[in-house]
Amino acid sequence: MQSTLYYKPSTSPYFQLPWKSSKYPACKPPKLSSKIPSFPNSLRTQITYELEEGLNNDGVEPSNPTKLPVVIRRYGKVLRCFWDGNRVRLLTVDAGGSSRASFCFNLDKAVEASNLAVRNFFIPKQVSENYIGYVKWKFLHRVFSSALQVLATQAMFRAIGIGYSRSLTSAAALNWVLKDGLGRLSRCIYTASLASSFDTNLKRVRFSTALLFTLSIGVELLTPIFPRHFLLLASLANVAKQMSLACYMATSPSIHRSFAVADNLAEVSAKSQIQSVCFDNLGLLLAAVLNLFLKNNQRLQAGLPFILYPIFSAVDLFGIYQGLKYVHLQTLTKDRIEIIIDTWISFGYVPSPEEVSKGEEINFLWTKAKEPWRIRVGCMNPKGHLPKLSAMAMQSVGNEDYYFICTEIFYRGLGRTREQGILLCVREGARTVDVIMGLLQACYVRKVLHSSMWERMMKASDSSDLVIKEWFKLVDDSKQYVKREFGLLNEQMVAQGWVTKNILLNTQEQTRYSYMDD
């Protein structure tokens, strides 16, 4: 209920309403004083202010209202509070602060208000600066992906001979058993086997499954050419789609969290759904328009998907690839820590999540970098070859150690090329700090091993007394380096916004060893 406050003019000579002064004639509205009147304590804040005596003698409101130090911005407009002697009013003001008539149409202001309304509809209020770039590429991806799905659905309807009741009944029954059933089963198996990779290799998994989704649409487009193998092709395509959908649902919360700067994860997720619905509808409209233009040419309409598929799929994958570049994750993984530590050792500073995001690999072949002395976190491979250095490193492990570093030999590629790497073994009960310290020591050792002297020594013999002596000297030097640099490194990582509480490791990297003192 709105209350109305009344004020009875005081007879004190220290307070007199400006428009009551005898200096002004009755025919002209008086001008307000530049100072806001001092109201007695009986006045209370309210929506509408009204004086007991109302307007001046001739019923005309004051022409020069007093500005109040309150400005409200809403729906693209700037509103300033004014006291006109009768009540508080909200008047539209321009950027300079001067009031203007609210009915005057301004094209620039109208466009600005429209842009602001669209932005508020699609974009959350508090997100990181890179979110806009991500949404732009998401728009490109969703529109063309949705159009491709429409073309694929039309092709499948054409393949099963929709309109012919005999073929439709049998196809629908087997479609449910094989296509949907196998697809859901494959989705469960896929998510169970790659659950940890959704965090540790988020961008790589997201892009690889997007490629798999695009290939599944291509398989669906082939169903009219091979109608007798419809169920097989449709089942394979649905398996790939279910795996891609599982990856999309598993990785979306992490991507949304990277943009939510004020813990507004629910708002970011809700806006993402709005974006997806609107962008997908535009894709449906695009496909409908293309079919409308070709409705009188059945042959060209049947061949249209094969013409548009390579173009639309390329644009779709390009949009996903570019959009992932705007996703700057603050969580730590083994690959991100390597980039951070290598930058720290070489240049003396900790890169930001944006810089590390540019250095992360986004590929679908799951290929590792061919850099010598690759670092691996985990335990010894029983089928692999461990040199003498590894055995001596394990002998030197004490009860107070929570990790140790050794060398290993592995074979890469079809040619079985022999290469050497560094293995970081972590003990059960190790903390996140211990893992970061171990990686810092391993990266320092790798940098030293890249020198030409060590290359020649290791190629000559990795079990000679000279190599063993120099190796343990290098290990001692690296431990001293870790003691000197770790504190400052950790502080810089926190300052750059990295979440150092946990490290996301995959299943193999989570393998630990136990210490036994016989």
Side-chain angles (χ1 to χ4, degrees), residues 435-459:
V435 179
I436 298 178
M437 293 175 66
L439 286 171
L440 177 59
Q441 183 178 352
C443 289
Y444 179 84
V445 170
R446 179 173 61 183
K447 184 175 180 60
V448 177
L449 291 177
H450 283 168
S451 63
S452 58
M453 180 192 71
W454 269 100
E455 290 289 341
R456 291 193 300 267
M457 291 174 59
M458 297 301 290
K459 286 182 179 180

Side-chain angles (χ1 to χ4, degrees), residues 325-351:
K325 290 185 177 181
Y326 288 89
V327 179
H328 308 324
L329 302 171
Q330 295 87 20
T331 53
L332 292 177
T333 62
K334 182 256 182 183
D335 293 338
R336 293 179 197 137
I337 293 179
E338 275 195 65
I339 298 175
I340 294 172
I341 293 177
D342 287 339
T343 305
W344 175 265
I345 295 175
S346 301
F347 304 102
Y349 77 97
V350 172

Side-chain angles (χ1 to χ4, degrees), residues 353-368:
E354 181 178 359
E355 295 177 87
V356 173
S357 180
K358 295 179 181 179
E360 284 185 289
E361 293 182 354
I362 304 175
N363 55 54
F364 56 89
L365 296 178
W366 298 84
T367 57
K368 297 292 185 179

Side-chain angles (χ1 to χ4, degrees), residues 497-516:
W498 291 104
V499 181
T500 59
K501 296 184 299 182
N502 298 302
I503 298 180
L504 301 176
L505 302 174
N506 59 33
T507 304
Q508 295 180 352
E509 293 170 348
Q510 293 175 5
T511 307
R512 300 290 185 262
Y513 76 91
S514 300
Y515 178 79
M516 295 184 64

Side-chain angles (χ1 to χ4, degrees), residues 398-434:
N399 187 29
E400 68 281 357
D401 297 326
Y402 281 93
Y403 68 89
F404 70 90
I405 295 174
C406 63
T407 60
E408 65 175 351
I409 298 174
F410 61 94
Y411 297 90
R412 184 199 300 271
L414 298 176
R416 305 298 293 171
T417 305
R418 181 180 185 273
E419 294 187 14
Q420 291 181 318
I422 300 174
L423 176 62
L424 172 62
C425 297
V426 183
R427 181 179 170 180
E428 290 183 356
R431 302 166 299 171
T432 302
V433 174
D434 299 319

Side-chain angles (χ1 to χ4, degrees), residues 14-35:
Y14 296 103
F15 180 81
Q16 186 174 3
L17 295 177
W19 53 86
K20 285 295 185 177
S21 174
S22 59
K23 294 181 182 180
Y24 299 99
C27 60
K28 293 184 178 180
K31 294 185 178 180
L32 288 175
S33 173
S34 60
K35 296 183 179 180

